[in-house]
Amino acid sequence: MKTIYTIFLFYFFSLFAFSQNLELSLVANNFNEPVEMAHAGDNRLFVVEKRGVIKILNNDGSVNATPFLDIRNKVGAGGERGLLGLAFAPDYATSGRFYVNYTDNSSSDTPNTVIARYSVSSNLDIASTTETVLLTIPQPYNNHNGGKLAFGTDGFLYIATGDGGSGGDPGNRSQNRNTLLGKLLRIDVSGSTYTIPSTNPYISSNGLPEIFAIGLRNPWKLSFDRSNGDLWIADVGQSAYEEINKSIGSGTPGDNYGWRCYEGANDYNNQSSCPPMSSTKLPVSEYNYGNGPNGFRCSITGGYVYRGTMYPNLLGKYLFADYCSEEIGLLTENGGNWTITWQLPTIKRSWVSFGEDINGELYIVGGDGVYRITDSTLSVSNEEIVSSFKLFPNPSNGEVTINFGVHFSNIESFSIKNSLGQHIITFTNLNSEKFSFSTKNYSKGLYFIEIVDNKALKHVKKLLIN
């Protein structure tokens, strides 16, 4: 009985200490089918619209009237097709180069995937329309195009491609090393076109040299952990499992993610020509396609490992979503075991993408809007400070008082940030249990009061100003 009781207490306090309360705040809307976001090493966010337009979202929430890039005349959009990927070169500040992934308008049934390079013009908010095509990949069907581009810590460009479409990979393209479909590609784009990295697995034989890994079905977003360079791929399943793959660094050249032989860590079309499952790259986690407590789950949208500074309880967790159930998932590792927890935000959309800004804070894209992800969970590492931290009146329309309680001497500072994470003001040298400040010059909206204690731990509360 004592053992059971101890386990129960551990479970209870683990939930109390580590569960999240995710909330979403609108940054900007009225986008036309946004499907991707990226930053260029500064405070701007670049929002990709499926039809073939890239717009600049500034850190004050405004959207530039003139698009950064408009290639609607080249893009064939509709269904799963369109402008799907954007990646800025690591040296963008000096080279001005960026890369896009789109399906062209050559055919409504069997388009080509195009990987192309563009450059910024003399106006830093507008790109040149001169295009350099690097790769053209014929598509046998109009679905399963993948679309994500990202630079790894090795400086190479990684490209996620789908298996070519239809259902069940009828051409077994994902396992075929002589097609670029159903693959993770890796190329060196530092020159005038592209070259093949010397450690690509099929650079000399047994496959196409651009291939870095095989066995993907329809990878809908990949990302590199900004802290350690680890690669994360969310692969949309056929009809039973949605999977999350993680590789140390960018993985091992020649990794096989298993499709169509396996769907996640399960047999799908396991024939004699298939490698044993033990030799494939198994997902660190998967979830069932079908009904969940918050609705029908059908298609994973990959995200990022949180490495920002505003929400310490999210640190190291991988955030993703399901397109159908509109849930946001958090994947947490503990002692080599991976656990998914789900949250259904009050704002519900069919989530199609995540974004990460220069500071590592996260955003999510759905409907016509971009939303900032926030965590209103208080840190409980110092329970006495948490319990004495009072904020009133809330909502406020003029003045706010913070009551730190008798532990005010343990407070190093507190800061006010707006819903975009922008720092407004910091107060230090607190010398009483209570502190009041005026909010008359603040715009209406959601703010965060972030307290830092003498152990460098953060405690956050929301403040609504009417």
Side-chain angles (χ1 to χ4, degrees), residues 392-441:
F392 59 91
N394 192 6
S396 167
N397 59 5
E399 186 172 84
V400 172
T401 296
I402 299 179
N403 189 338
F404 301 108
V406 297
H407 302 286
F408 74 89
S409 60
N410 293 326
I411 305 299
E412 293 292 325
S413 65
F414 81 90
S415 302
I416 303 173
K417 296 181 178 180
N418 64 18
S419 62
L420 296 177
Q422 297 167 320
H423 176 267
I424 296 175
I425 191 170
T426 294
F427 298 95
T428 58
N429 301 320
L430 307 172
N431 55 14
S432 66
E433 294 183 22
K434 294 182 180 181
F435 185 92
S436 298
F437 61 94
S438 173
T439 61
K440 291 180 179 180
N441 294 324

Side-chain angles (χ1 to χ4, degrees), residues 6-25:
T6 302
I7 292 174
F8 172 78
L9 283 179
F10 175 77
Y11 177 72
F12 176 81
F13 284 111
S14 293
L15 286 179
F16 181 68
F18 299 112
S19 62
Q20 273 69 53
N21 183 18
L22 294 185
E23 296 186 1
L24 306 180
S25 58

